Amino acid sequence: MSKLVIVGTVAFDAIETPFGKTDRILGGAATFIGLAASQFNIDAVIVSIIGGDFPEEYLDLLSNKNIDLSGVEIVKDGKTFFWKGKYHNDMNSRDTLVTELNVLADFNPVVPEDYRNAEVVMLGNLHPLTQLSVIEQMEVKPKLVILDTMNFWMNNALEDLHKVIKKIDVIAINDEEARQLTKEYSLVVAARKIHEMGPKYVVIKKGEHGAFLFHNDNVFFAPALPLEEVFDPTGAGDTFAGGFAGYLVKTGDFSFENLKKAIIYGSTLASFCVEKFGTERMENLSGEEIHKRLHQFKQLTQFEIELS
Ligand code: AMP
């Protein structure tokens, strides 16, 4: 089976949206990426760190989805990373109220031996040097390295971020981050500048307005499915990335044409994630539901037009 390495946070989240709030629930970028990728029946390992306070039932939830947790370090007397966020009424923007790094402050990722030849590496949002260390541990050059990052690292570790961007194949960031990274307003110009920094493929996510895929002069755009209910956008970006990476691992085809399909899978999975708080919707998502939504996606974007 083809393999995927996922590095990122496994966390406690507390979320407030206009529709309600939660206490500490299961969260973290690697959690959402793993849950989405698990839909593709591939060998996926999470490389992360948690404290002794992390409930066994959350670990069971992930391993029952066949996600390999052998790369998750448990610091018995430490506390798990905690994040608290509050969404504004538009549900597109949010304030971070609390970030407690806890055990993440001393995280030295170790990729399990069996995964050092994985075809795809998904670098979730973390310090760029942590991301770099994962790339350096790979014994066989991966076919595709995908990176997510955020404005925080652009503000605080830009030089290190450039070091890792130089070594990856796909960057997946949102429109604001692309603008900040390049100081360009036009996303087309921003994508070109990011290409020059290293990545062959540039994915720019626009939340409920879909996602772009740039590859040299080729551009592809997928809208997000218009949904009746958006309950909690937390993890949508990571779920998108997990669906994107999972599909590529499954198919083993890293061409532009196939990356277009991966974008559709990523968008489809993300459309489920936002329907409930935290990971709830992703925990019981069936293949049949995904299949149905892919059909809706196709209908949404297909049209016949005669061009002479
Ligand atoms: P997203 O909504 O896709 O941007 O991701 C939300 C997830 O990212 C939450 O589950 C958080 O636990 C996690 N998270 C929040 N802040 C950070 C951070 N500074 N570094 C890593 N992960 C974070």
Side-chain angles (χ1 to χ4, degrees):
M1 245 200 292
S2 304
K3 296 182 202 170
L4 171 66
V5 172
I6 300 164
V7 61
T9 42
V10 171
F12 288 126
D13 286 351
I15 305 157
E16 205 174 319
T17 81
F19 304 105
K21 61 199 276 191
T22 70
D23 239 344
R24 288 169 181 248
I25 55 171
L26 172 63
T31 304
F32 285 104
I33 295 168
L35 284 172
S38 72
Q39 291 290 343
F40 297 90
N41 236 337
I42 54 174
D43 271 339
V45 72
I46 290 183
V47 178
S48 190
I49 188 165
I50 53 176
D53 56 350
F54 198 75
E56 197 72 35
E57 63 171 285
Y58 287 168
L59 293 174
D60 290 346
L61 191 156
L62 295 172
S63 38
N64 287 340
K65 297 272 176 199
N66 281 328
I67 302 168
D68 189 333
L69 301 179
S70 59
V72 179
E73 185 188 340
I74 304 174
V75 182
K76 283 223 167 63
D77 53 358
K79 281 170 73 182
T80 300
F81 174 80
F82 172 61
W83 175 79
K84 183 173 183 175
K86 181 177 177 175
Y87 287 86
H88 301 161
N89 278 341
D90 67 359
M91 295 286 263
N92 245 351
S93 51
R94 70 183 177 204
D95 294 326
T96 288
L97 303 180
V98 182
T99 301
E100 288 174 13
L101 290 181
N102 298 329
V103 291
L104 196 71
D106 301 309
F107 178 38
N108 284 312
V110 179
V111 179
E113 207 51 59
D114 290 355
Y115 284 87
R116 293 190 179 184
N117 59 357
E119 286 82 0
V120 179
V121 175
M122 176 68 230
L123 302 169
N125 173 30
L126 282 174
H127 193 293
L129 291 182
T130 310
Q131 295 176 318
L132 201 58
S133 138
V134 169
I135 300 178
E136 283 165 356
Q137 289 173 48
M138 299 306 288
E139 283 162 8
V140 180
K141 191 178 179 331
K143 301 240 170 69
L144 207 74
V145 179
I146 308 163
L147 172 125
D148 182 13
T149 187
M150 69 189 293
N151 46 11
F152 180 79
W153 306 118
M154 295 174 199
N155 296 333
N156 296 297
L158 188 61
E159 213 175 298
D160 294 331
L161 183 60
H162 275 291
K163 278 188 208 151
V164 66
I165 288 179
K166 212 183 269 184
K167 292 191 180 259
I168 57 154
D169 304 289
V170 186
I171 188 168
I173 51 180
N174 69 34
D175 45 357
E176 260 178 61
E177 292 157 353
R179 289 184 174 123
Q180 179 169 347
L181 186 61
T182 59
K183 301 192 174 60
E184 293 290 347
Y185 184 80
S186 155
L187 295 179
V188 176
V189 179
R192 192 182 311 133
K193 279 200 166 175
I194 298 172
H195 277 320
E196 285 162 11
M197 296 173 191
K200 290 193 284 286
Y201 295 103
V202 178
V203 176
I204 300 182
K205 300 171 285 178
K206 289 169 65 68
E208 64 173 330
H209 304 297
F212 283 105
L213 168 67
F214 293 91
H215 174 55
N216 301 326
D217 291 330
N218 299 312
V219 192
F220 174 69
F221 176 73
L225 268 181
L227 295 171
E228 273 185 42
E229 284 197 0
V230 177
F231 219 71
D232 169 21
T234 309
D238 303 312
T239 302
F240 173 91
F244 178 81
Y247 178 75
L248 291 172
V249 174
K250 178 80 181 171
T251 53
D253 172 353
F254 306 105
S255 65
F256 179 68
E257 281 310 308
N258 206 47
L259 262 72
K260 282 160 65 170
K261 294 183 200 160
I263 294 264
I264 300 292
Y265 271 89
S267 304
T268 302
L269 285 162
S271 78
F272 287 105
C273 175
V274 302
E275 289 181 339
K276 295 232 165 105
F277 268 115
T279 56
E280 199 184 333
R281 187 67 175 96
M282 302 310 289
E283 288 169 25
N284 300 306
L285 182 59
S286 71
E288 208 176 305
E289 287 175 301
I290 298 172
H291 192 73
K292 214 166 138 197
R293 205 160 272 188
L294 281 166
H295 271 284
Q296 290 173 347
F297 221 110
K298 215 171 159 185
Q299 274 182 333
L300 177 73
T301 50
Q302 225 169 26
F303 56 87
E304 295 291 330
I305 189 166
E306 296 241 348
L307 295 174
S308 54

